[in-house]
Amino acid sequence: MTDNIKNLETMSLPDKDGRFGQYGGSYVPEQLQAVLDEITQSYEAIKDDPVFLKELADLNKHFTGRPSPVFHCKNLSGKIGGADIYLKREDLNHTGAHKINHCLGEALLAKRMGKTKLIAETGAGQHGVALATAATLVGLACDIYMGEVDIKKEYPNVVRMKILGAKVVPVGRGTKTLKDAVDAAFEAYLEDPVNQLYAIGSVVGPHPFPGMVRDFQKVVGIEAREQFLEMTGKLPDNVVACVGGGSNAMGIFSGFLTDPEVAIYGVEPSGRGLKPGDHAATLTLGKPGVLHGFSSYLLQDDAGEPLPVYSIASGLDYPGVGPQHSLLKDLGRVSYVTASDDEAIQAFFELSRTDGIIPAIESAHAVAYAVKLAKEAGEGKTVLVNLSGRGDKDIDFVIENCGKDYGI
Ligand SMILES: *Cc1c(COP(=O)(O)O)cnc(C)c1O
């Protein structure tokens, strides 16, 4: 483990080909590669530019409300009777989750590149809403591609995007869900890569997106490390985050990867069981392959086709995962574990009723594992959880499906 941490200290990730060890890279048609190269060059040119960084830092502070606080959950910790649980409150950001961190970065980059429009796909609508918000603020048009099935299911987010001035483009082909929306958005992108920028919603996709989105999310880990040290005089013994594509996790993990005394846990959704189609535990049960233009652990069949995935948290059901997570798994630096639908729901109510914080059902997966870990670790130890978002978006669904079990 200590050797692997030394490796991480000397590795600058990704390398110039966008590789995190054997993972990452860029597996796309030639025409798209030219477009990606332009994004890489532009990002390389500005990522250390003090003017760009100041502009982003100002928006983070005055628009998003950064730094988000770190909160000591005394009630939950007391009830468990084990380690002390702390939350990094990304749920308190404007728009209610961590996604605004990278959407603002991508919007500013697009503006710098002279683009006039941001485009993206969205599944549950969370990425669409965050991107529509950033686009409006920065002064760019925004087209969000969304499957017709998802448009019906996620109506409040569709309305939010429209109020924010974005165009929601319905996708009626195939299964009319996320995968078809990705295909439609990529086709639209290739029709006009000069004026548009495709803004990916996590640390996934071809180079430069996994490294770039990670860089925009790093602020979470940098703040959390400083805040935790200031509050307790020590680093946390454990850091925990949920993993869908892996952006909120990479954000907080980045602050602690080279601290050997900090154990790090990524929590994947085991859904309703470990059979294919019942979960989205990519690192726990998948194997390396190529999907959506990058190499990583994937849930795939023998022919290399992505398997169906499921989680009660729509932000976590993706058959791939960011390539840096795959490397961190192989190095043994991060332990990838799981929480089920039922465990997440239980944690959703537990945190709501002990400390008055309703977590996003995605984030509740991290809370569920943190509770387990706190019991095992015992008194005197600490667990820092990235609370990636707030649960307002989930309350209708939770009450309809599980309200009775909790007296509602
Ligand atoms: C989208 C989302 C996630 C999952 O995305 P990652 O890239 O894995 O962080 C987690 N939590 C919330 C609140 C989300 O909206």
Side-chain angles (χ1 to χ4, degrees), residues 95-396:
T95 66
H98 70 288
K99 285 192 176 76
I100 192 69
N101 300 329
H102 61 250
C103 286
L104 285 175
E106 289 176 315
L108 280 184
L109 173 68
K111 184 101 178 165
R112 280 282 189 116
M113 292 174 74
K115 309 289 180 192
T116 55
K117 190 193 277 181
L118 286 171
I119 65 173
E121 81 291 340
T122 196
Q126 295 302 110
H127 176 52
V129 170
L131 195 67
T133 303
T136 299
L137 179 73
V138 169
L140 298 168
C142 184
D143 286 359
I144 301 292
Y145 291 78
M146 193 166 181
E148 284 174 357
V149 168
D150 291 332
I151 287 181
K152 281 212 191 92
K153 240 164 80 182
E154 311 288 348
Y155 194 67
N157 275 342
V158 175
V159 173
R160 271 186 201 108
M161 286 184 266
K162 289 183 179 171
I163 290 174
L164 290 161
K167 188 166 117 195
V168 178
V169 184
V171 178
R173 66 172 86 167
T175 56
K176 307 180 172 69
T177 58
L178 181 63
K179 191 189 162 296
D180 309 290
V182 174
D183 293 341
F186 258 104
E187 281 164 28
Y189 184 33
L190 285 178
E191 276 168 25
D192 183 9
V194 174
N195 294 305
Q196 307 184 108
L197 183 80
Y198 196 114
I200 291 184
S202 187
V203 287
V204 298
H207 183 56
F209 285 96
M212 183 169 84
V213 169
R214 187 259 340 259
D215 290 349
F216 294 141
Q217 287 294 344
K218 256 186 184 171
V219 64
V220 177
I222 293 168
E223 285 174 9
R225 192 176 192 283
E226 263 179 41
Q227 291 166 314
F228 197 89
L229 273 173
E230 196 187 300
M231 285 172 86
T232 69
K234 283 191 277 190
L235 289 174
D237 296 304
N238 304 281
V239 169
V240 181
C242 65
V243 178
S247 64
N248 88 87
M250 268 333 304
I252 195 154
F253 293 176
S254 294
F256 302 95
L257 284 177
T258 55
D259 296 310
E261 64 270 50
V262 180
I264 305 181
Y265 297 87
V267 186
E268 300 191 304
S270 53
R272 39 183 187 225
L274 296 183
K275 285 205 300 288
D278 282 349
H279 65 86
T282 308
L283 288 156
T284 310
L285 294 166
K287 46 187 195 309
V290 172
L291 177 71
H292 294 155
F294 68 107
S295 148
S296 196
Y297 276 79
L298 301 174
L299 291 167
Q300 57 193 340
D301 63 18
D302 293 336
E305 283 299 306
L307 286 168
V309 284
Y310 160 83
S311 164
I312 193 170
S314 52
L316 301 182
D317 61 355
Y318 181 60
V321 66
Q324 192 167 3
H325 287 290
S326 294
L327 176 64
L328 292 170
K329 172 188 162 83
D330 286 1
L331 289 175
R333 176 61 188 108
V334 176
S335 305
Y336 292 92
V337 296
T338 59
S340 68
D341 282 4
D342 290 347
E343 289 169 325
I345 290 287
Q346 202 183 331
F348 175 94
F349 279 100
E350 193 155 37
L351 184 63
S352 299
R353 292 179 176 184
T354 55
D355 289 271
I357 298 168
I358 304 177
I361 199 76
E362 288 83 3
S363 324
H365 285 73
V367 175
Y369 192 78
V371 166
K372 251 194 234 176
L373 198 57
K375 279 183 195 150
E376 281 166 25
E379 270 180 53
K381 298 288 183 186
T382 54
V383 182
L384 172 63
V385 181
N386 197 17
L387 201 75
S388 54
R390 67 178 180 226
D392 305 42
K393 66 183 179 61
D394 300 312
I395 56 180
D396 290 343

Side-chain angles (χ1 to χ4, degrees), residues 49-62 108 112:
D49 171 4
V51 179
F52 176 79
L53 293 175
K54 166 114 183 21
E55 205 177 349
L56 184 57
D58 281 348
L59 291 184
N60 280 342
K61 180 172 176 187
H62 300 291
L108 280 184
R112 280 282 189 116

